[in-house]
Amino acid sequence: MDCARQNMTLDPVHYDGIARLARRIDHGADERDRRAFAETVWAEFLDPLLDDGRTVVDPVGEQRRRYVDCEDVALHDRPFPTEHGLDAGTINPTTFKNGLVIDIAQAAMSATPSDLDLHRSRTTVMTVHSNDETMTVDENWGKFDEGYSRSRAVKIPPLPRFAEGVVHALALYLAESKHACDHAEDVEDLLVLDGPLYPRGLLRWADQHPDLADFLLEDPRPTTVLENYVRLVERFVEREVPLVGFVKNPATRVITRTLKSRRDVDISAPWNDDSALFTRLLERGEYVDDVEGERWDRDTSALTYTNWFRSRGGVDRPLSVDGDALGVERELPHETYEVTFFIVYDPRDDLVYRIEAPYAFTRDPELRERLTIQLLQNVAVAHGPPTIVQKADELARISRSEKRSLRETLEAQFDTSQARTYDDHRWDEEY
């Protein structure tokens, strides 16, 4: 076959044929109905949202939606004069021909104003999975870079079906939580985690498969990771310094799943996840006349946002008053650790963000408002995730070329090569 033809796009006739398939689909309720559904949920089901009589979501303070002009909030005095950000990056799970599955994560903390010594520090974790029981790993913590950074290798017990997911999650969350605990004292006013408050990927294992649930119960490593986050919250509560998690791609389904499961209400829940619901609730605009009828004209001048909610459902349940925290001892009243969140909608990009914080901080109305204003200002100024989070991401990120080089180093170290698929070859060729 002619190589040039392999890279051709769709011919117009093929494109039209595919597009014509859309005419066969009746997508159900129209946009007006979906907005009406969302308003019904907001007005009747969130104060509180019940699942078999148990509260899974309820407002912290008054339930309401608000908006603030992007330019006005960008010029607002900052409630927290300094900020620190935290993120971790990985090379992604890599399988080698000798049976090893490895991931490497490094965590870094950013500061505003800048702190070069802090920026230099890294926490690096390598997680290793093998079905060969004779494989051993020295799991002690070590130091490098003149003592600025720490590293550790961790052996994962045989879990063939879930090897890649486990090595990735444990490397990521162990590096992040250890780095946060080691540098907690450096944070003066506010810490912003890049991602959720607790390790969602790990907490989700209990619902996925009995093997993973048993791993959580029998192996100390996942519990140790979660304990790091619990102790982190306790230290920040003790120091009266708040921390929040900024979730860029929220995919929670607590509200939508609960609504769909209830048999005592007559309401359709057409959204795939909670973010889709909140987008409908927070998007401002109006229907205007168009050549083909009416179209929705979105107002892009203001950020819109909800009040804070307390979450006790889904993966947030283990750290709620109803949960067992996977057996981790909690030294403060259990409600202290509960996940609370509010949703910000940025109409400039048509995106929603979820900001999480422990109830220990958001139960105070004044502090709750200060956190809200700070995060709104961050989004308005950065036109997206806070600059302090982007800065931490840049410090922790492992580039594509660095990932390739690290994998080649591992191949030489283990006298093996990466197990490759055709897709690996294909994407290497195209990029």
Side-chain angles (χ1 to χ4, degrees):
M1 181 183 290
D2 185 351
C3 291
R5 183 166 180 80
Q6 291 183 30
N7 296 321
M8 288 181 62
T9 57
L10 289 172
D11 289 335
V13 65
H14 301 145
Y15 182 91
D16 290 342
I18 294 172
R20 198 175 297 123
L21 290 172
R23 301 174 189 171
R24 303 184 185 183
I25 301 172
D26 180 356
H27 57 82
D30 64 21
E31 275 303 301
R32 290 181 184 271
D33 289 338
R34 293 177 187 270
R35 294 181 191 280
F37 290 155
E39 292 296 332
T40 299
V41 170
W42 177 264
E44 300 181 15
F45 294 100
L46 298 184
D47 188 13
L49 178 65
L50 301 177
D51 185 11
D52 288 333
R54 189 178 66 87
T55 297
V56 293
V57 173
D58 66 325
V60 178
E62 180 184 357
Q63 180 180 328
R64 56 178 175 167
R65 289 169 287 179
R66 293 186 285 177
Y67 66 91
V68 61
D69 184 84
C70 293
E71 294 184 4
D72 288 346
V73 75
L75 298 174
H76 195 284
D77 291 337
R78 294 182 69 75
F80 300 92
T82 67
E83 279 184 318
H84 286 70
L86 182 74
D87 193 20
T90 78
I91 68 168
N92 293 326
T94 304
T95 302
F96 296 90
K97 290 180 179 178
N98 63 0
L100 293 180
V101 182
I102 293 177
D103 202 355
I104 302 172
Q106 73 159 353
M109 183 176 283
S110 59
T112 301
S114 292
D115 181 337
L116 297 184
D117 284 346
L118 178 66
H119 291 175
R120 178 176 175 178
S121 177
R122 299 287 191 277
T123 298
T124 304
V125 174
M126 176 186 291
T127 46
V128 186
H129 176 278
S130 175
N131 290 322
D132 184 352
E133 296 184 1
T134 65
M135 187 268 287
T136 61
V137 172
D138 178 359
E139 298 199 12
N140 293 313
W141 284 100
K143 292 185 177 181
F144 64 101
D145 188 18
E146 300 180 2
Y148 278 91
S149 302
R150 304 185 71 187
S151 62
R152 183 186 180 190
V154 178
K155 179 181 178 181
I156 306 302
L159 284 166
R161 293 182 57 191
F162 307 100
E164 292 191 353
V166 171
V167 297
H168 175 73
L170 286 185
L172 179 71
Y173 293 128
L174 181 56
E176 179 183 82
S177 62
K178 180 63 176 174
H179 200 74
C181 289
D182 286 347
H183 292 283
E185 302 300 320
D186 294 318
V187 181
E188 299 176 0
D189 296 310
L190 175 66
L191 174 63
V192 184
L193 303 177
D194 187 354
L197 182 62
Y198 297 113
R200 281 185 170 273
L202 185 152
L203 293 170
R204 196 176 291 116
W205 290 351
D207 298 327
Q208 287 188 345
H209 195 278
D211 287 351
L212 285 176
D214 291 342
F215 177 48
L216 285 174
L217 294 174
E218 298 171 2
D219 194 281
R221 293 169 185 82
T223 303
T224 299
V225 171
L226 181 59
E227 184 176 7
N228 285 345
Y229 287 91
V230 170
R231 300 292 167 252
L232 184 69
V233 169
E234 290 169 352
R235 291 177 66 179
F236 275 73
V237 170
E238 179 183 356
R239 297 177 60 229
E240 298 183 346
V241 175
L243 76 161
V244 301
F246 190 93
V247 185
K248 293 177 284 191
N249 297 295
T252 56
R253 294 181 173 86
V254 174
I255 297 174
T256 49
R257 187 172 60 239
T258 301
L259 289 172
K260 290 178 180 179
S261 67
R262 288 179 56 166
R263 298 291 180 263
D264 61 328
V265 296
D266 182 19
I267 182 172
S268 173
W271 312 283
N272 184 54
D273 55 28
D274 296 350
S275 293
L277 166 63
F278 281 113
T279 297
R280 289 291 168 265
L281 288 169
L282 293 174
E283 187 182 32
R284 299 169 66 240
E286 61 181 349
Y287 285 99
V288 298
D289 292 332
D290 198 5
V291 291
E292 297 183 358
E294 288 186 331
R295 63 174 176 83
W296 176 257
D297 184 27
R298 185 168 66 245
D299 182 349
T300 60
S301 64
L303 299 178
T304 51
Y305 58 104
T306 68
N307 57 282
W308 289 81
F309 289 92
R310 179 163 43 186
S311 178
R312 294 174 173 171
V315 294
D316 294 331
R317 183 171 184 174
L319 274 301
S320 72
V321 293
D322 303 323
D324 64 357
L326 303 186
V328 174
E329 182 180 354
R330 288 170 282 183
E331 298 176 358
L332 301 174
H334 290 184
E335 68 175 10
T336 302
Y337 307 87
E338 290 191 307
V339 174
T340 63
F341 70 92
F342 82 101
I343 302 294
V344 179
Y345 174 68
D346 189 341
R348 297 169 296 183
D349 298 312
D350 192 25
L351 294 173
V352 295
Y353 305 111
R354 172 175 160 128
I355 292 87
E356 300 182 352
Y359 183 62
F361 299 115
T362 57
R363 61 187 169 194
D364 179 344
E366 181 181 349
L367 180 53
R368 189 167 68 235
E369 185 65 14
R370 290 173 61 211
L371 288 171
T372 303
I373 294 298
Q374 182 88 3
L375 272 300
L376 289 171
Q377 184 180 66
N378 285 344
V379 172
V381 170
H383 203 125
T387 301
I388 196 68
V389 166
Q390 298 179 36
K391 193 173 183 179
D393 176 80
E394 292 171 1
L395 291 171
R397 183 186 301 127
I398 304 173
S399 70
R400 180 186 293 271
S401 61
E402 290 166 338
K403 291 177 182 178
R404 185 182 302 112
S405 179
L406 283 169
R407 290 183 179 121
E408 291 172 354
T409 298
L410 293 174
E411 288 176 332
Q413 177 68 34
F414 299 125
D415 191 24
T416 187
S417 57
Q418 182 180 345
R420 292 168 58 83
T421 66
Y422 175 75
D423 282 345
D424 295 323
H425 169 73
R426 173 189 177 191
W427 296 123
D428 282 347
E429 289 293 319
E430 293 192 14
Y431 294 95

